[in-house]
Every structure is written in C-alpha cells, then in structure tokens.
Amino acid sequence: MNELSKQYLHEFKLYLEIERNFSGHTVRAYISDILSYLIWLDMRNIQEANYSLISDYLVYLRQFEYTKATTARKIAAIRTFYRFLYREKIVESNPAAAINSPKREKNLPEFLTEQEMDKILNNIKMDTPARYRNRTILELLYATGMRVSELSNLNFENLNIDENEIKVFGKGSKERIVLISERAKEFLVNYIKTARYLICKEETPKQNSPVFVNKTGYRLQTQSVRNAINDVMEKLELPKHVTPHVFRHSFATKLLEHGADLRVVQELLGHSSISNTQIYTHVSAERLKQSYNAAHPRAN
C-alpha cells in the first residue's frame, strides 16, 4: 500500500468519526474493510480503480466465504470510501456506485417468551451487590429495549427517575427518551441507593458519573453485561442463544403483541426507518401461525 493511500485512509477515518458521526464499532469495521481493499490494490493508485477492478476484488473475497451480511458491509464501505474521495475531488467518479450488494437473508430475530424471560430473571441470585446490579441491568434491558452500548454509556444526568424516563444516545449519537416500568424503576432506585455504593464506594455520584460501574469504579463495559447473561444461561436449559440484543428483540415483540403502535415501537427503539421495526410484525405473525397450528384441530 502506497503512502498516498495511507493518507486517504486516515482522512476517511476522520470523515466517518466527525462528519458522519458513525459509531466506534462501525468506524472500526469500515476502516478494516478499506484497509484490506487497499492492501489488495497494493501499489496501484486509488484513482486507477474502476468498476471492473472492484468487481475483481469482490471475486477475490469469495474465497473467504464471508456471509452475505459481511459482504454487503464491505461493499457499503467501499461505496462510502469512494463517495468521500469523489467529494474531495480525489477521483473523478465513484467506480463502486453501480456495485450491487448481495441480497441479505431475512432471518427473524430471536426473542424470548414471557415465561422464558421470567425464568432467566428469577434465576439471577441477588446475594451480592454485583449480582443485584446485573439483575437491575437485565430488568432495564427488557423494560426499555435499550442497546447494551446505550445502557453502558448511561450517566446520572441521563436519568429522570421521577418521570420514569431515561435519555439515551443511540447510533450516530441520536438522542431519544426511553420509558421504564415501575418494576425496573424499583430495581434501579435500590441499586443506586445501596448496591452501587457497595460496589465502588462512591458516596455522591456526579452528574457525569456512570450509572453502572465495576468494582474499581469505572464504567461497566458491554462485555461484562454479556458475561452476566452467559453466567445465568449456563445454569438454565433454554434452547436459545441469549445475548443483550435478544432482550431488545423481546421488548419490541411483546409491545406489538400487546397492541402497541408500530410508530411508537420505532420511536422507543430509536430506528431511523420504520422498515427496521417492521420485522417484529413478522415475528408476531409467525407466533400467531404457530399458535393456530398447535391449537386448531384441522390446522394440519
């Protein structure tokens, strides 16, 4: 890879972070994708690339047997990269504009039934401050539909407990308000009053202090939340792979099943497009079919 390509890659990273305001995860993925592409180009100039050359690169990628979703992301990264270069007048056109992404498989999101959720939550021992914190976290994930990264980034200034509201910052730092149930609120209040202090000994948290902390007083990271779920799931016999995002899926599915408006669910989840929310209507419809087939004597 030549020095000019390295410079463009650095400028592209700043563009994603500052102008596009992409999440850290997306920036890392896009930069990794473009770095691989530039290494493949070797010493050839970026300006030399055309539709045919990029197509050759996609043929090269096939040997790694990436999923359709990963391939689609790599194509999106290349498109965005050349769109940036075109805007900066580094290239005369976007040679990746006409590259088609593979059709992604529409898998229905995994979710938990109310009985399964109760089984998980009720099997979390609360005999230590850290375990009480973990129970509070899972109660909040299920009650609000927050992403695990949004929960990890919560500060005290984001809490409006009296109004059962929490301000979160989602993808692209988009701000939204999520609502908490009375049950989740009770866990949160008790955690703040007792368990949090016992974990890190911080008597009076500041407004910019993290809500959820580890024993050293630092912000609890998303992997710690995943570990807490894994610890519980090891003791249960559920034929499902449960992640923090499954709690989010379960939240949305339950709202729609109980008659919530699709637009309301979209707002609570922080989806920029309602098409992202509509997949949960398919989940509800699938459950309806399963119930029908199981209950009706002439269904089969």
Side-chain angles (χ1 to χ4, degrees):
M1 184 170 64
N2 60 47
E3 291 300 319
L4 203 53
S5 293
K6 292 180 182 178
Q7 178 186 329
Y8 294 150
L9 183 63
H10 175 69
E11 292 173 357
F12 180 57
K13 182 173 183 290
L14 295 178
Y15 164 73
L16 296 178
E17 291 174 335
I18 299 171
E19 294 192 38
R20 297 297 299 274
N21 202 19
F22 280 4
S23 69
H25 175 77
T26 302
V27 171
R28 287 190 294 273
Y30 271 37
I31 293 302
S32 175
D33 292 338
I34 298 304
L35 178 60
S36 298
Y37 169 66
L38 294 176
I39 290 173
W40 179 83
L41 279 179
D42 196 20
M43 298 306 290
R44 286 172 290 194
N45 291 325
I46 290 174
Q47 292 89 337
E48 294 177 20
N50 53 28
Y51 176 88
S52 178
L53 186 62
I54 295 175
S55 296
D56 289 343
Y57 176 65
L58 297 181
V59 171
Y60 161 77
L61 289 180
R62 288 178 190 168
Q63 66 180 299
F64 301 105
E65 299 182 348
Y66 290 121
T67 64
K68 289 182 178 179
T70 299
T71 302
R73 190 203 66 216
K74 290 179 179 296
I75 292 173
I78 293 173
R79 278 205 202 105
T80 305
F81 181 55
Y82 274 104
R83 196 179 302 128
F84 162 74
L85 296 176
Y86 177 68
R87 192 196 72 164
E88 298 297 312
K89 297 183 173 18
I90 296 169
V91 296
E92 295 182 356
S93 63
N94 182 350
I99 298 290
N100 293 320
S101 296
K103 290 186 177 180
R104 299 176 65 171
E105 298 173 359
K106 294 183 178 179
N107 296 323
L108 293 180
E110 189 78 82
F111 68 94
L112 298 162
T113 66
E114 293 179 34
Q115 293 76 18
E116 289 170 336
M117 186 64 74
D118 286 341
K119 189 174 183 180
I120 291 173
L121 295 175
N122 293 333
N123 272 276
I124 301 176
K125 292 183 179 179
M126 294 184 288
D127 53 349
T128 68
R131 284 175 174 168
Y132 192 91
R133 176 202 61 202
N134 294 345
R135 173 66 181 270
T136 302
I137 285 172
L138 298 193
E139 290 281 353
L140 274 178
L141 288 177
Y142 184 45
T144 65
M146 277 189 285
R147 300 177 178 91
V148 65
S149 58
E150 295 168 348
L151 181 137
S152 175
N153 289 328
L154 286 180
N155 294 333
F156 277 87
E157 61 192 355
N158 304 133
L159 305 181
N160 185 0
I161 295 177
D162 290 340
E163 298 296 328
N164 291 57
E165 295 178 353
I166 298 177
K167 182 191 299 182
V168 300
F169 295 89
K171 291 184 176 180
S173 296
K174 292 180 180 177
E175 178 184 316
R176 75 179 189 282
I177 299 295
V178 298
L179 307 177
I180 56 175
S181 63
E182 287 296 328
R183 171 176 164 142
K185 174 181 175 178
E186 183 178 351
F187 272 98
L188 180 59
V189 169
N190 289 336
Y191 160 75
I192 292 171
K193 287 183 176 178
T194 58
R196 189 183 184 279
Y197 169 74
L198 294 173
I199 291 173
C200 71
K201 308 301 181 186
E202 185 182 20
E203 292 188 9
T204 308
K206 299 176 182 177
Q207 285 295 293
N208 62 353
S209 295
V211 175
F212 294 105
V213 292
N214 58 27
K215 62 183 179 180
T216 60
Y218 289 102
R219 187 180 303 279
L220 193 71
Q221 299 301 306
T222 57
Q223 187 56 48
S224 297
V225 179
R226 295 187 178 91
N227 291 341
I229 294 176
N230 291 337
D231 288 342
V232 177
M233 296 308 298
E234 284 179 4
K235 301 177 181 66
L236 301 177
E237 293 183 0
L238 288 180
K240 293 181 179 179
H241 178 57
V242 180
T243 66
H245 221 64
V246 170
F247 281 71
R248 180 171 163 87
H249 294 325
S250 303
F251 163 81
T253 303
K254 294 302 167 291
L255 284 182
L256 288 171
E257 285 183 347
H258 290 287
D261 183 84
L262 192 63
R263 291 285 181 185
V264 171
V265 178
Q266 176 192 0
E267 186 72 20
L268 291 172
L269 290 175
H271 284 163
S272 57
S273 170
I274 200 167
S275 62
N276 295 327
T277 317
Q278 285 174 329
I279 190 170
Y280 296 108
T281 63
H282 302 318
V283 174
S284 298
E286 183 63 27
R287 287 199 69 191
L288 184 64
K289 290 178 185 177
Q290 291 173 0
S291 298
Y292 172 80
N293 290 334
H296 198 285
R298 305 247 176 149
N300 299 313

